[in-house]
Amino acid sequence: MVLCVSLLSSPSVLAAAITTNSIAGWPQGPEIVDETGVLMEAETGTILYDKGMDQRMYPASTTKIMTALVVLENTEDLQTKITFTETGTKEVTPDSANIQAQLGEELTVEQCLYASLLASANEVSSQLAEFVGGTKEHFVEMMNLKAQELGCSDTHFTNPNGLPDENHYTTAHDLALIMQAAIQNETFREIESTQTYTIPATNKTATPRNLTNHHAMLVSGNPSYYEGAFAGKTGHTDAAKDTLVTAAEKNGMTLICVVLKSDNGQVVADTINLFNYGFEQFQRLPMTEKDETKSGGYAIVPKNITKDQVQVQENADGELIQQTYTWQNVQVGSAAVEKVTPTPTPQPEKKAPADTQEEPKPYLADSTLSLVIIGALCLLILIGLSAIVIKLKKKK
């Protein structure tokens, strides 16, 4: 894996341009100090900002977003208790984020998820992996399969917590795709938006553990709090430097921001700048009628763009029409729309022109006249016959 090491280690290779700034008519994005970054709209997957988003990087503890997603998708009862083994407790070290879990201690899956996501506890993440996957190694295989399922094109995990490993890597874009899937889970959103959480005393501890969300943008009262931010994960190792994944919602539009490798504490400031850029410069533009739309139906475009400026490509798919929306050759949305069969308009009954219409025949009058004539003839015949009979009698 020499190639992997060189890609992840060489600053000269990692220097990245903001490629979205080269799109004609695209709002110019801000400069960020992080090595790579992406701003993606969550519903359509539209990329609003791209600075080296497909370059391979170390994720550090933002890995735990995938860990939580796999746990949530493979656990029926979050109140199930987990007993800590050496798999987890061996990672309770002074240089590793932890909650000092003890051998034989029992915590519920839910409590472990809070400890992993809010406190970034490495030993808890490993113990969750063993519980769900049977072994930590099998759980990591589940993580990698999930990454493939989500369309992550350059991601490989070797552990569930993001501890340093040259074969543990991802990209800003892949992390955005993972976050896109995770925020569709209501439990994940609930945990991530929690500012403080208390784990009560356990079978091994006499006092409760009070956890605080490490993500400053999610904590009200913090100078870095960002209105609309509802989920996210911090990360840091010596190799990865600072990493940050965040989701925020305003005006019906949800954006996901990922910034990777900053060694000067600018990940929060850069994320805020990118969110402000996205929410101020772009709009969620309705493209279809709601009652006919099965999915999608929106385009994410600059605020000065109107519906008639967006190109629409259609492909029939059974009972649906698949629409793809593009602007400046950038895909900005899609939709699945029901086929609509037009209802035929009733046509009025055609009538002949007034001057060619035939006058109705007086059938009743003609019949009556015929009867009168026939009756008169019969009467005359009877009179004639009577006369003949009378003459014959006189002759006798």
Side-chain angles (χ1 to χ4, degrees):
M1 297 299 292
V2 175
L3 178 62
C4 172
V5 175
S6 64
L7 283 173
L8 293 169
S9 303
S10 172
S12 61
V13 174
L14 285 171
I18 304 169
T19 56
T20 39
N21 281 353
S22 64
I23 302 171
W26 202 261
Q28 295 295 287
E31 292 287 344
I32 61 173
V33 300
D34 311 284
E35 297 242 2
T36 67
V38 68
L39 184 67
M40 184 179 83
E41 195 276 330
E43 182 180 14
T44 64
T46 301
I47 301 301
L48 308 184
Y49 180 94
D50 171 9
K51 179 184 178 181
M53 69 175 189
D54 292 319
Q55 288 185 189
R56 208 178 265 188
M57 305 291 286
Y58 293 132
S61 285
T62 59
T63 299
K64 296 177 175 107
I65 298 171
M66 176 63 93
T67 299
L69 179 59
V70 174
V71 169
L72 287 167
E73 289 185 345
N74 292 277
T75 306
E76 294 183 2
D77 185 2
L78 298 186
Q79 299 310 311
T80 303
K81 287 191 174 182
I82 297 176
T83 302
F84 274 75
T85 67
E86 288 187 1
T87 298
T89 57
K90 70 181 180 181
E91 292 178 352
V92 179
T93 61
D95 60 346
S96 177
N98 64 80
I99 61 167
Q100 296 185 335
Q102 299 181 37
L103 189 65
E105 185 169 12
E106 295 180 349
L107 295 177
T108 67
V109 174
E110 181 180 71
Q111 291 167 343
C112 288
L113 284 168
Y114 275 96
S116 175
L117 291 173
L118 269 60
S120 203
N122 290 320
E123 88 276 28
V124 175
S125 302
S126 291
Q127 200 62 58
L128 277 168
E130 183 179 72
F131 172 75
V132 172
T135 64
K136 189 166 73 169
E137 292 72 22
H138 182 247
F139 183 85
V140 170
E141 291 177 10
M142 295 168 68
M143 294 171 68
N144 287 319
L145 286 173
K146 186 63 180 179
Q148 293 176 21
E149 178 188 319
L150 296 177
C152 298
S153 59
D154 208 354
T155 292
H156 183 261
F157 297 115
T158 61
N159 60 66
N161 42 39
L163 291 174
D165 187 316
E166 66 181 32
N167 294 317
H168 187 98
Y169 53 82
T170 186
T171 68
H173 189 200
D174 283 359
L175 271 177
L177 294 175
I178 294 168
M179 188 62 157
Q180 181 186 37
I183 61 176
Q184 294 177 34
N185 186 291
E186 288 300 323
T187 303
F188 179 87
R189 289 172 68 109
E190 181 180 350
I191 294 172
E192 284 277 87
S193 62
T194 300
Q195 299 186 24
T196 60
Y197 181 81
T198 298
I199 298 176
T202 70
N203 61 321
K204 291 289 185 176
T205 61
T207 58
R209 294 179 175 95
N210 296 315
L211 310 180
T212 301
N213 197 321
H214 285 186
H215 196 324
M217 293 175 63
L218 305 179
V219 181
S220 60
N222 189 294
S224 298
Y225 175 71
Y226 189 84
E227 185 176 355
F230 64 88
K233 185 72 191 73
T234 60
H236 178 86
T237 64
D238 289 343
K241 306 301 183 184
D242 290 334
T243 62
L244 192 64
V245 179
T246 318
E249 183 178 11
K250 286 185 180 180
N251 304 320
M253 185 166 67
T254 299
L255 302 182
I256 296 170
C257 182
V258 180
V259 286
L260 300 175
K261 199 172 185 182
S262 171
D263 59 2
N264 56 9
Q266 284 292 109
V267 285
V268 170
D270 283 344
T271 297
I272 290 174
N273 285 338
L274 287 175
F275 274 146
N276 288 341
Y277 159 75
F279 288 120
E280 290 171 5
Q281 299 294 331
F282 293 88
Q283 62 176 322
R284 184 173 179 260
L285 187 65
M287 295 293 295
T288 61
E289 298 297 329
K290 287 186 177 180
D291 58 348
E292 298 172 2
T293 307
K294 290 297 183 182
S295 64
Y298 293 90
I300 309 301
V301 292
K303 284 192 173 179
N304 62 329
I305 301 304
T306 58
K307 181 178 177 179
D308 59 345
Q309 293 175 279
V310 179
Q311 289 75 50
V312 181
Q313 181 180 354
E314 294 189 344
N315 290 299
D317 183 12
E319 295 300 317
L320 298 175
I321 295 174
Q322 301 294 335
Q323 296 183 339
T324 301
Y325 311 132
T326 58
W327 184 75
Q328 297 294 72
N329 297 318
V330 176
Q331 183 168 332
V332 293
S334 62
V337 183
E338 285 184 333
K339 290 181 180 178
V340 178
T341 304
T343 304
T345 305
Q347 298 295 323
E349 184 179 349
K350 292 184 179 180
K351 295 183 179 180
D355 57 327
T356 62
Q357 289 184 355
E358 296 182 1
E359 292 294 330
K361 296 180 179 181
Y363 294 109
L364 182 59
D366 289 350
S367 300
T368 303
L369 179 60
S370 298
L371 290 173
V372 171
I373 294 171
I374 292 171
L377 289 173
C378 290
L379 181 60
L380 289 174
I381 292 171
L382 288 173
I383 293 173
L385 290 173
S386 298
I388 292 171
V389 171
I390 292 172
K391 286 181 180 182
L392 288 175
K393 285 183 179 182
K394 286 181 179 182
K395 287 180 180 181
K396 288 180 180 181

